Amino acid sequence: MQRRILRVNMTNRTATFEEVPSDYRTLGGRGLTSTIVADEVPPDCHPLGPNNKLVFAPGIVTGTSAPSSGRLSVGGKSPLTGGIKESNVGSRFAQTLARLGIQAMIVEGQAKDGYQLLKIGTEGVEFVDGRRWSGKGLYQAYEDLRSEFGEDADICGVGVVSERSATNSGLVFNDPEGRSSRYAGRGGLGAVAASRGLKFIVLDRSELPHVDYEDKETFDRGRQKLVNGLRQHDVTKPDGALASYGTNVLINILNEAGGLPHRNFSTGREELAELVSGERKAELIKQRGGTRPHACHPGCIIRCSEIWTKENGKDPVGVLEYESVWALGPNCGIYDLDLIGELNRACNDLGLDTIEMGNTIAVAMEGGLLEFGDGEGALQLMEEIRNGTPQGLMLMHGAKFAGTALGVTRVPVVKGQAMPAYDPRAVKGMGVTYATTPMGADHTAGYTVAPEIMGVGGKADPLAADKGALSQSLQRATAVIDSAGYCLFTAFAVLDIPEALEGMVETVNGVLGTSLTVDDIDGLGKKILDVERQFNKKAGFTDVDDRLPEFMRLEKLPPHDQVFDVADRQLDQVFEENH
Amino acid sequence: MPGVPTVTVRLFARLRTPVGSGVVSLQAGDIRTLVDALVKRYPALRSELVDESGELRGTIKVMVNGRNVEFLQGLSTPVGEEDAVAIFPLVAGG
């Protein structure tokens, strides 16, 4: 099926299919969302005003039989950072969008008369009055939507916090069982959707066409090499670390390395961490009859996901990712997986990004609103958010906003976005990535943890400060993987197995008819990052925005008693030159 | 063995299965002798920890007091009763 761009104007309630401009033909995923945002969104616009746009793009190979490739990029100007944002998610929604022939969907304008639901299928686009789902929790809303539009529908939506313009608000997508648990969570794009008047998108999967290939033989050859690599690597193989324990397997190794932030980035290690580890969680899931492993979309052969339930095996939450467990757990001094699961459930139901929310609670704890370790108190704060109380309204805008409101100076954010689960004083390459990525503090932008802690894709001492080149090359490679549509976890195999990387490139060539090689990856990634950096510069960002919070240069982090000591000049060089 | 310290070793992820526990105590003065003692006591760990030539697999991470021994003195890194030794198989996530 020929790929097209779907432009949805919420002001006029029109949906038009456009030919893909030649400049965009070989772009997908992040490369495409960032390019469209840079081309169409004025960098100085208000993120929730009439001129921002929300752009959805499945990856280049998404919708094909390429393994672990059900990824979607969502882009726009972020209300959290004030810069360009692409937030990435794994869901069948991405595959369905690609199979509908939609290379990108641009949502622009602002609805005049309340929230809309967009129903998209082979028959076209229908606008449905979405007001009746306004204010509902997302778990219930998704059940209702599946009853109305079919159990097999794929759904994207925003929660009650997006309706209140929260700068911590994500876009939620369905997991394979239809639950509202897969998030393009970072950067407040949920509020961008709601401010367009977009509440839900429902994809009708009946009579779904298949994705076209320019060169199926090359695609199949590449696919097989990649499948072989994923099945062989210790991390991604069928009984490997990710399938056995999920992403949360990282709790113990980061804690041991002194890089797992506890109590708002006060120490990098605590003995209690074992209580919320991947090993412990896998054991509990087995005891409760939950599901482990589990795939976030059909065709994923890594299967890092799971279904976490209450102690009685009921009320499934969905997956408890490492980042979520950490943010809502150790970072708040909470070491109880059931409490963390309920906090995660509340985030999923309200439409909140768990990383930002966990950091916000930790900052609130630092500010004296409640004690570190007070899980019940944290759950009460989630109810304040649900009910829209003044305190809830203060907490839904993220860690930076809460820090300002409560007079806290130790606020772990870059460009206004809260840090993920690696303390940059103990894993210094991550500090370079947090500081310099155009996205604000984002671990997925250049995952130096792989060589620094795991020994994947090379080996680097996590406490050594010379990490500019490492972060640069991983940021570029990541931008390409995010554009191809592969899950970032495929990188663990392709970084170590050259044939798998070659296979990945061949799958892209097979879909596009291009003749890219592995050597092209760095240059392609640089181009995407340059587009994003230029947008941010025009939005007013300077070198000062590429810095970590001051306290991380001043306060030593136990147990290694390290500060973040990467020179500013080295941070600036990440985008100024080739290392 | 008199004079050789007793070291507490913590094992993680799949390395716990052959041992049936996450913590063991062994007598060893450095990482090389510690790994040798470990596979001698738990033969099922051998294929996880060392390759055909008996060398520690590149995928195994041994940490002493939170530092990967590859960035200390490798297998010659000394250990004593006060040291926290942890051994991980290849794990990743994010």
Side-chain angles (χ1 to χ4, degrees), chain A residues 233 235 239 241-242 245 247 249-250 252-253 256-257 269 274 279 422 443 447 454-456 459-461 463 489 492 560, chain B residues 10-17 58-59 61 63-68 70-71 84-86 88-94:
Chain A
H233 197 274
V235 170
D239 62 346
L242 282 171
Y245 304 102
T247 56
V249 74
L250 287 186
N252 276 331
I253 195 166
E256 191 65 25
R269 189 192 295 154
E274 171 75 32
E279 290 90 329
Y422 315 89
H443 62 297
Y447 197 61
M454 305 155 187
V456 171
K459 286 173 182 172
D461 184 344
L463 301 186
F489 294 164
F492 296 127
H560 297 307
Chain B
R10 284 169 303 130
L11 302 166
F12 294 92
R14 60 187 292 157
L15 300 183
R16 290 178 178 176
T17 311
T59 53
K61 300 281 158 290
M63 290 192 196
V64 176
N65 303 322
R67 296 284 286 140
N68 187 335
E70 289 177 73
F71 305 117
V85 179
F88 292 87
L90 189 55
V91 296

Side-chain angles (χ1 to χ4, degrees), chain A residues 158-441:
Chain A
V158 298
V160 66
V161 296
S162 298
E163 296 182 32
R164 296 180 188 142
S165 303
T167 52
N168 173 14
S169 59
L171 285 144
V172 63
F173 298 79
N174 55 288
D175 67 15
E177 292 77 26
R179 275 180 295 271
S180 57
S181 69
R182 308 301 317 184
Y183 266 79
R186 307 234 66 194
L189 293 180
V192 178
S195 62
R196 303 316 80 207
L198 177 63
K199 179 69 179 163
F200 289 109
I201 303 168
V202 173
L203 301 183
D204 182 352
R205 290 175 49 80
S206 46
E207 296 176 43
L208 207 54
H210 289 283
V211 169
D212 286 339
Y213 302 84
E214 290 289 334
D215 178 355
K216 185 71 165 44
E217 197 179 320
T218 298
F219 173 86
D220 286 340
R221 190 172 60 241
R223 177 186 175 279
Q224 195 55 54
K225 286 182 192 174
L226 183 55
V227 167
N228 292 346
L230 292 172
R231 285 191 173 144
Q232 175 190 334
H233 197 274
D234 277 354
V235 170
T236 55
K237 65 188 182 184
D239 62 346
L242 282 171
S244 301
Y245 304 102
T247 56
N248 204 34
V249 74
L250 287 186
I251 287 277
N252 276 331
I253 195 166
L254 259 300
N255 190 57
E256 191 65 25
L260 186 74
H262 298 262
R263 299 186 304 280
N264 194 30
F265 289 76
S266 293
T267 180
R269 189 192 295 154
E270 280 290 349
E271 278 186 24
L272 293 170
E274 171 75 32
L275 296 173
V276 296
S277 65
E279 290 90 329
R280 176 72 182 141
K281 181 146 62 74
E283 204 176 281
L284 289 174
I285 288 172
K286 198 173 171 187
Q287 284 171 16
R288 295 174 181 189
T291 306
R292 149 112 276 139
H294 176 260
C296 74
H297 64 271
C300 178
I301 62 173
I302 300 173
R303 300 186 306 152
C304 70
S305 184
E306 68 197 8
I307 301 174
W308 173 260
T309 63
K310 284 186 176 168
E311 203 171 350
N312 60 7
K314 299 192 187 312
D315 296 326
V317 175
V319 62
L320 302 190
E321 300 282 11
Y322 165 66
E323 299 293 340
S324 307
V325 169
W326 159 76
L328 301 164
N331 195 43
C332 298
I334 296 171
Y335 299 91
D336 179 327
L337 280 169
D338 283 303
L339 274 170
I340 293 167
E342 291 313 299
L343 288 166
N344 201 138
R345 184 196 305 279
C347 288
N348 288 354
D349 205 38
L350 296 167
L352 292 156
D353 172 41
T354 52
I355 297 176
E356 194 66 44
M357 194 63 237
N359 274 284
T360 306
I361 296 170
V363 166
M365 288 170 164
E366 176 109 13
L369 210 57
L370 68 172
E371 297 288 320
F372 280 107
D374 183 0
E376 295 296 342
L379 279 168
Q380 192 51 47
L381 292 185
M382 304 304 287
E383 286 308 300
E384 302 266 355
I385 294 174
R386 185 185 299 277
N387 296 329
T389 66
Q391 194 169 77
L393 295 177
M394 182 267 286
L395 294 167
M396 71 180 191
H397 291 297
K400 183 183 174 187
F401 192 93
T404 303
L406 296 168
V408 177
T409 54
R410 298 179 70 265
V411 182
V413 299
V414 178
K415 300 180 180 68
Q417 180 167 288
M419 286 183 190
Y422 315 89
D423 196 303
R425 291 165 287 184
V427 193
K428 292 185 181 172
M430 285 313 292
V432 178
T433 295
Y434 291 166
T436 60
T437 168
M439 299 298 149

